[in-house]
Amino acid sequence: MLRQYELVDRVLGYDPKADEALINRAYVYAMKQHGSQKRASGDPYFSHPIEVAGILTDLKLDTATIVTALLHDTIEDTGSTMDELTKLFGSQVAGLVDGVTKLTRIELTSERSKQAENFRKFLLAMSNDIRVLLVKLADRLHNMRTLHFISSAEKRQRIALETMEIYAPLAGRMGIQEIREELEDLAFKELNPEAREALIKRLNEFREASGDSVKKIAKEIQAKLEETGLSCEVLGREKRPYSMWRKMERRAISLEQLSDIFGFRVIVDDVPDCYTAVGVLHTNWRMVPGRFKDYISTPKANGYRSIHTTMIGPEKKRAEVQVRTRKMHEIAEYGIAAHWIYKEGPGADASGEFAATFHWLRQLIEMLEHGASPEEFLEHTKLQMYSDQVFCFSPKGLLITLPRGATPIDFAYAVHTDIGDTCVGCKINGRHMPLRTKLENGDEVEIIRSQAQRPSPAWEAFVATGKARSAIRRSIRATKQAEFSRLGRQILKGAFEAAGKDGSDTILERALGPLRKSDLDELMAAVGDGTLSAHQVLQTVYPAEQPKNGRKRPVRGNGKDGNDSAVRVTGRAAGLVISFAPEMFPLPGERIVGIMMPGEGITIYPIDAPALEEFDGETMRWIDATWDIDPEHPQTFPARLRVTAKNEVGSLGHIATLIADYGSNISNLSLAQRDMDFYDIQIDLDVRDLKHLTRIMSALNGLSCVNTVIRPRR
Ligand code: MN
């Protein structure tokens, strides 16, 4: 425990004008008030406020904050009153203690709504004085350091979880990385001790194998920089287990693959020296492309500034290096508290930099004033602290700001519409990842493109930005329009040939005026999407032409006769305007026909499907269709069989094995008992074509356990 004179000396060490007498009074008062109270550790209770004050001296905070730390539990845990504190220590300190007390009460109630209510009051109270929050964070840190003394596992878990969800991110948002990392690590120890132990063990082995290279590398870097006349300090450090764990989880990589277990900090005098130092580093060691980030010209939202780079450093080891000035270093370590030091006290918090840092807090307060429910508030608070934006980088280091929840598709469209439109895949931090992955702060995103790609309608479901959504819609509309137009051209060609008439473009242009179409593309698209029939066009150009009554169903589309006016079906995903009739399972090798669905395009049916009777009276909607499957790229198509099998042991197994032996995959199976002796199975399977299915059907028929095999028709 910190002694009275040690505490005072520490404060005087960074603030010679500190009110020594006030600190002494508060120290003695806290000891007296807490008296013989004990902590769970068995230590006298007053050791706690003194340790909290000690933590705050590391942040070099002013007398009022240190005194508040000493007194922070007196209202809640002893007989002290606001009046008494005001009389003894002044209204400023009393107000600060009151603020801390309000937050402390949150921890004492288990009801979430009550928590939120108190938290609300607290935030309102401290919004005028950030020092309350700093005391609270230090209080939480000391409580976390002594968490293992609490006997109730449930209570430990609750406190650890709250720390992970609220206090650690809060410290991060305030830029106090030291405290954030320690809070996270202490919470991690409680929440996932096995993972932490395993990580530490692996880390020790790793360290033993690589020797004490951190010191050696730091020395070599420092020597190179000093050769050029720079005065600098180089610090080497190892990441905390939790931050490594998070990285490993996020990127799904092993400890060995984690490039930045060891980090180095180069601290120089001023900003020009930062850039000089980076230049020297990159001259001597090869930089790792895409890892260079300049947070000096583009500071992070919490005010963090530094240049980051990764290089293949001394001893051929990847080294992550942060280059910064002394002031930037202090801000990175102490965050808001450092602003405090540089701005010299209260009243300075209206200045730009400081105000920007607190933008999120102001938003929170505003939301509170507009009456969110306590429950909702707590949710939002968590969200708010995790930030509502993500900052990502292109491999060239371009900074892209996106709303939280954004995906690589959003990223691609944010860079350029053309990049979004041709996006086929992505790498996040060097790893191939699905396009639906939600991006996180600091992710480096590389978009893989192909000029043959068009935006997929499926993208719309997971993009987060309006820009991406509208670009996807626009592109799909354009693609559909082009497909409709191509389809319309085929249909018109077939219709004019059948009538023995000239259907060249110059002839067709005559129909534009009467049919009120502005160009041929529009005319074709209208025919393609079924809003205009080919016969209407024919009659417009050749008014004498009468509709042929009793036109027969098209019969050609058998995929063999090369009928080039027929619509070509190239596969299961034959485009946006051609679809397969549900549960009809047409297969290559069998005759198919298209039915025009106005506004939607063409639906493909097997030509013997009974369901086609519905369209018997509408011969104009019938479209010749033919398979056009590239034999170099065989595809599979869904098919359905109904099998009646003998009810005996192993029969289903025989059937499934046989289907697998024929290289087909069963995608669905349903069973219906028929009677004691037989049962019906409906099997959905994937086959290459009709021949493939027929072979499977005859083989099934050959099984002794199979009675009948049919392809059900609708
Ligand atoms: Mn406390």
Side-chain angles (χ1 to χ4, degrees), residues 359-375:
H359 182 58
W360 62 278
L361 192 60
R362 299 273 163 221
Q363 279 184 337
L364 210 63
I365 306 288
E366 233 165 73
M367 204 177 73
L368 280 172
E369 283 166 353
H370 292 97
S373 74
E375 282 288 341

PDB file of all heavy atoms in Angstrom, residues 359-375:
ATOM      1  N   HIS A 359     -16.974  13.828 -28.853  1.00  0.00           N
ATOM      2  CA  HIS A 359     -18.150  13.900 -29.701  1.00  0.00           C
ATOM      3  C   HIS A 359     -19.130  12.769 -29.386  1.00  0.00           C
ATOM      4  O   HIS A 359     -20.324  12.979 -29.235  1.00  0.00           O
ATOM      5  CB  HIS A 359     -17.707  13.829 -31.153  1.00  0.00           C
ATOM      6  CG  HIS A 359     -18.846  13.953 -32.103  1.00  0.00           C
ATOM      7  ND1 HIS A 359     -19.672  15.050 -32.114  1.00  0.00           N
ATOM      8  CD2 HIS A 359     -19.331  13.096 -33.038  1.00  0.00           C
ATOM      9  CE1 HIS A 359     -20.594  14.877 -33.035  1.00  0.00           C
ATOM     10  NE2 HIS A 359     -20.422  13.701 -33.598  1.00  0.00           N
ATOM     11  N   TRP A 360     -18.590  11.547 -29.246  1.00  0.00           N
ATOM     12  CA  TRP A 360     -19.439  10.378 -28.986  1.00  0.00           C
ATOM     13  C   TRP A 360     -20.181  10.507 -27.669  1.00  0.00           C
ATOM     14  O   TRP A 360     -21.318  10.110 -27.526  1.00  0.00           O
ATOM     15  CB  TRP A 360     -18.596   9.114 -28.999  1.00  0.00           C
ATOM     16  CG  TRP A 360     -17.542   9.086 -27.936  1.00  0.00           C
ATOM     17  CD1 TRP A 360     -16.329   9.668 -27.999  1.00  0.00           C
ATOM     18  CD2 TRP A 360     -17.636   8.474 -26.656  1.00  0.00           C
ATOM     19  NE1 TRP A 360     -15.646   9.454 -26.838  1.00  0.00           N
ATOM     20  CE2 TRP A 360     -16.411   8.725 -25.996  1.00  0.00           C
ATOM     21  CE3 TRP A 360     -18.613   7.729 -25.995  1.00  0.00           C
ATOM     22  CZ2 TRP A 360     -16.155   8.266 -24.712  1.00  0.00           C
ATOM     23  CZ3 TRP A 360     -18.349   7.267 -24.729  1.00  0.00           C
ATOM     24  CH2 TRP A 360     -17.134   7.539 -24.093  1.00  0.00           C
ATOM     25  N   LEU A 361     -19.501  11.124 -26.681  1.00  0.00           N
ATOM     26  CA  LEU A 361     -20.109  11.281 -25.368  1.00  0.00           C
ATOM     27  C   LEU A 361     -21.260  12.279 -25.442  1.00  0.00           C
ATOM     28  O   LEU A 361     -22.327  12.059 -24.878  1.00  0.00           O
ATOM     29  CB  LEU A 361     -19.042  11.767 -24.386  1.00  0.00           C
ATOM     30  CG  LEU A 361     -19.407  11.712 -22.919  1.00  0.00           C
ATOM     31  CD1 LEU A 361     -19.726  10.290 -22.500  1.00  0.00           C
ATOM     32  CD2 LEU A 361     -18.257  12.252 -22.079  1.00  0.00           C
ATOM     33  N   ARG A 362     -21.029  13.343 -26.185  1.00  0.00           N
ATOM     34  CA  ARG A 362     -22.088  14.352 -26.365  1.00  0.00           C
ATOM     35  C   ARG A 362     -23.312  13.712 -27.016  1.00  0.00           C
ATOM     36  O   ARG A 362     -24.436  13.955 -26.621  1.00  0.00           O
ATOM     37  CB  ARG A 362     -21.605  15.507 -27.247  1.00  0.00           C
ATOM     38  CG  ARG A 362     -20.436  16.245 -26.690  1.00  0.00           C
ATOM     39  CD  ARG A 362     -20.861  17.370 -25.744  1.00  0.00           C
ATOM     40  NE  ARG A 362     -19.718  17.780 -24.949  1.00  0.00           N
ATOM     41  CZ  ARG A 362     -19.771  18.066 -23.654  1.00  0.00           C
ATOM     42  NH1 ARG A 362     -20.914  18.019 -22.993  1.00  0.00           N
ATOM     43  NH2 ARG A 362     -18.690  18.416 -23.011  1.00  0.00           N
ATOM     44  N   GLN A 363     -23.067  12.894 -28.021  1.00  0.00           N
ATOM     45  CA  GLN A 363     -24.177  12.220 -28.714  1.00  0.00           C
ATOM     46  C   GLN A 363     -24.976  11.370 -27.739  1.00  0.00           C
ATOM     47  O   GLN A 363     -26.200  11.324 -27.787  1.00  0.00           O
ATOM     48  CB  GLN A 363     -23.633  11.318 -29.814  1.00  0.00           C
ATOM     49  CG  GLN A 363     -23.283  12.056 -31.072  1.00  0.00           C
ATOM     50  CD  GLN A 363     -22.833  11.112 -32.159  1.00  0.00           C
ATOM     51  OE1 GLN A 363     -22.374   9.995 -31.891  1.00  0.00           O
ATOM     52  NE2 GLN A 363     -22.957  11.543 -33.394  1.00  0.00           N
ATOM     53  N   LEU A 364     -24.248  10.731 -26.851  1.00  0.00           N
ATOM     54  CA  LEU A 364     -24.869   9.866 -25.856  1.00  0.00           C
ATOM     55  C   LEU A 364     -25.786  10.677 -24.953  1.00  0.00           C
ATOM     56  O   LEU A 364     -26.927  10.305 -24.686  1.00  0.00           O
ATOM     57  CB  LEU A 364     -23.747   9.254 -25.029  1.00  0.00           C
ATOM     58  CG  LEU A 364     -23.988   7.893 -24.445  1.00  0.00           C
ATOM     59  CD1 LEU A 364     -24.173   6.903 -25.565  1.00  0.00           C
ATOM     60  CD2 LEU A 364     -22.792   7.489 -23.612  1.00  0.00           C
ATOM     61  N   ILE A 365     -25.281  11.802 -24.496  1.00  0.00           N
ATOM     62  CA  ILE A 365     -26.044  12.674 -23.618  1.00  0.00           C
ATOM     63  C   ILE A 365     -27.297  13.163 -24.333  1.00  0.00           C
ATOM     64  O   ILE A 365     -28.395  13.150 -23.777  1.00  0.00           O
ATOM     65  CB  ILE A 365     -25.202  13.913 -23.201  1.00  0.00           C
ATOM     66  CG1 ILE A 365     -23.873  13.493 -22.606  1.00  0.00           C
ATOM     67  CG2 ILE A 365     -25.982  14.817 -22.270  1.00  0.00           C
ATOM     68  CD1 ILE A 365     -23.920  12.888 -21.260  1.00  0.00           C
ATOM     69  N   GLU A 366     -27.131  13.517 -25.594  1.00  0.00           N
ATOM     70  CA  GLU A 366     -28.252  14.016 -26.368  1.00  0.00           C
ATOM     71  C   GLU A 366     -29.343  12.965 -26.469  1.00  0.00           C
ATOM     72  O   GLU A 366     -30.517  13.231 -26.269  1.00  0.00           O
ATOM     73  CB  GLU A 366     -27.773  14.359 -27.779  1.00  0.00           C
ATOM     74  CG  GLU A 366     -28.129  15.764 -28.200  1.00  0.00           C
ATOM     75  CD  GLU A 366     -27.331  16.158 -29.420  1.00  0.00           C
ATOM     76  OE1 GLU A 366     -27.653  15.631 -30.499  1.00  0.00           O
ATOM     77  OE2 GLU A 366     -26.391  16.960 -29.274  1.00  0.00           O
ATOM     78  N   MET A 367     -28.904  11.738 -26.717  1.00  0.00           N
ATOM     79  CA  MET A 367     -29.847  10.637 -26.839  1.00  0.00           C
ATOM     80  C   MET A 367     -30.623  10.449 -25.535  1.00  0.00           C
ATOM     81  O   MET A 367     -31.822  10.213 -25.531  1.00  0.00           O
ATOM     82  CB  MET A 367     -29.064   9.378 -27.144  1.00  0.00           C
ATOM     83  CG  MET A 367     -29.853   8.315 -27.829  1.00  0.00           C
ATOM     84  SD  MET A 367     -28.765   6.950 -28.173  1.00  0.00           S
ATOM     85  CE  MET A 367     -28.541   6.275 -26.553  1.00  0.00           C
ATOM     86  N   LEU A 368     -29.895  10.603 -24.430  1.00  0.00           N
ATOM     87  CA  LEU A 368     -30.507  10.470 -23.113  1.00  0.00           C
ATOM     88  C   LEU A 368     -31.588  11.517 -22.906  1.00  0.00           C
ATOM     89  O   LEU A 368     -32.665  11.240 -22.410  1.00  0.00           O
ATOM     90  CB  LEU A 368     -29.452  10.677 -22.029  1.00  0.00           C
ATOM     91  CG  LEU A 368     -28.580   9.491 -21.754  1.00  0.00           C
ATOM     92  CD1 LEU A 368     -27.478   9.897 -20.814  1.00  0.00           C
ATOM     93  CD2 LEU A 368     -29.406   8.377 -21.162  1.00  0.00           C
ATOM     94  N   GLU A 369     -31.250  12.719 -23.308  1.00  0.00           N
ATOM     95  CA  GLU A 369     -32.193  13.814 -23.091  1.00  0.00           C
ATOM     96  C   GLU A 369     -33.439  13.644 -23.932  1.00  0.00           C
ATOM     97  O   GLU A 369     -34.482  14.191 -23.635  1.00  0.00           O
ATOM     98  CB  GLU A 369     -31.509  15.158 -23.366  1.00  0.00           C
ATOM     99  CG  GLU A 369     -30.619  15.538 -22.187  1.00  0.00           C
ATOM    100  CD  GLU A 369     -29.661  16.658 -22.513  1.00  0.00           C
ATOM    101  OE1 GLU A 369     -29.594  17.063 -23.687  1.00  0.00           O
ATOM    102  OE2 GLU A 369     -28.970  17.115 -21.585  1.00  0.00           O
ATOM    103  N   HIS A 370     -33.328  12.871 -25.011  1.00  0.00           N
ATOM    104  CA  HIS A 370     -34.507  12.645 -25.838  1.00  0.00           C
ATOM    105  C   HIS A 370     -35.233  11.373 -25.446  1.00  0.00           C
ATOM    106  O   HIS A 370     -35.944  10.771 -26.242  1.00  0.00           O
ATOM    107  CB  HIS A 370     -34.139  12.693 -27.317  1.00  0.00           C
ATOM    108  CG  HIS A 370     -33.751  14.073 -27.745  1.00  0.00           C
ATOM    109  ND1 HIS A 370     -32.442  14.466 -27.807  1.00  0.00           N
ATOM    110  CD2 HIS A 370     -34.485  15.157 -28.047  1.00  0.00           C
ATOM    111  CE1 HIS A 370     -32.392  15.743 -28.161  1.00  0.00           C
ATOM    112  NE2 HIS A 370     -33.621  16.183 -28.312  1.00  0.00           N
ATOM    113  N   GLY A 371     -35.007  10.961 -24.205  1.00  0.00           N
ATOM    114  CA  GLY A 371     -35.860   9.970 -23.561  1.00  0.00           C
ATOM    115  C   GLY A 371     -35.816   8.546 -24.075  1.00  0.00           C
ATOM    116  O   GLY A 371     -36.849   7.939 -24.285  1.00  0.00           O
ATOM    117  N   ALA A 372     -34.627   8.003 -24.279  1.00  0.00           N
ATOM    118  CA  ALA A 372     -34.559   6.577 -24.586  1.00  0.00           C
ATOM    119  C   ALA A 372     -34.860   5.811 -23.295  1.00  0.00           C
ATOM    120  O   ALA A 372     -34.571   6.290 -22.207  1.00  0.00           O
ATOM    121  CB  ALA A 372     -33.167   6.223 -25.095  1.00  0.00           C
ATOM    122  N   SER A 373     -35.442   4.617 -23.426  1.00  0.00           N
ATOM    123  CA  SER A 373     -35.722   3.831 -22.233  1.00  0.00           C
ATOM    124  C   SER A 373     -34.393   3.345 -21.655  1.00  0.00           C
ATOM    125  O   SER A 373     -33.415   3.195 -22.377  1.00  0.00           O
ATOM    126  CB  SER A 373     -36.597   2.640 -22.593  1.00  0.00           C
ATOM    127  OG  SER A 373     -35.824   1.685 -23.269  1.00  0.00           O
ATOM    128  N   PRO A 374     -34.367   3.103 -20.353  1.00  0.00           N
ATOM    129  CA  PRO A 374     -33.099   2.682 -19.739  1.00  0.00           C
ATOM    130  C   PRO A 374     -32.480   1.456 -20.409  1.00  0.00           C
ATOM    131  O   PRO A 374     -31.283   1.422 -20.653  1.00  0.00           O
ATOM    132  CB  PRO A 374     -33.501   2.362 -18.304  1.00  0.00           C
ATOM    133  CG  PRO A 374     -34.712   3.167 -18.051  1.00  0.00           C
ATOM    134  CD  PRO A 374     -35.433   3.256 -19.365  1.00  0.00           C
ATOM    135  N   GLU A 375     -33.331   0.480 -20.740  1.00  0.00           N
ATOM    136  CA  GLU A 375     -32.828  -0.735 -21.375  1.00  0.00           C
ATOM    137  C   GLU A 375     -32.139  -0.418 -22.693  1.00  0.00           C
ATOM    138  O   GLU A 375     -31.013  -0.819 -22.957  1.00  0.00           O
ATOM    139  CB  GLU A 375     -34.003  -1.689 -21.676  1.00  0.00           C
ATOM    140  CG  GLU A 375     -34.492  -2.451 -20.477  1.00  0.00           C
ATOM    141  CD  GLU A 375     -33.506  -3.517 -20.056  1.00  0.00           C
ATOM    142  OE1 GLU A 375     -32.655  -3.891 -20.874  1.00  0.00           O
ATOM    143  OE2 GLU A 375     -33.597  -3.962 -18.899  1.00  0.00           O
TER     144      GLU A 375
END
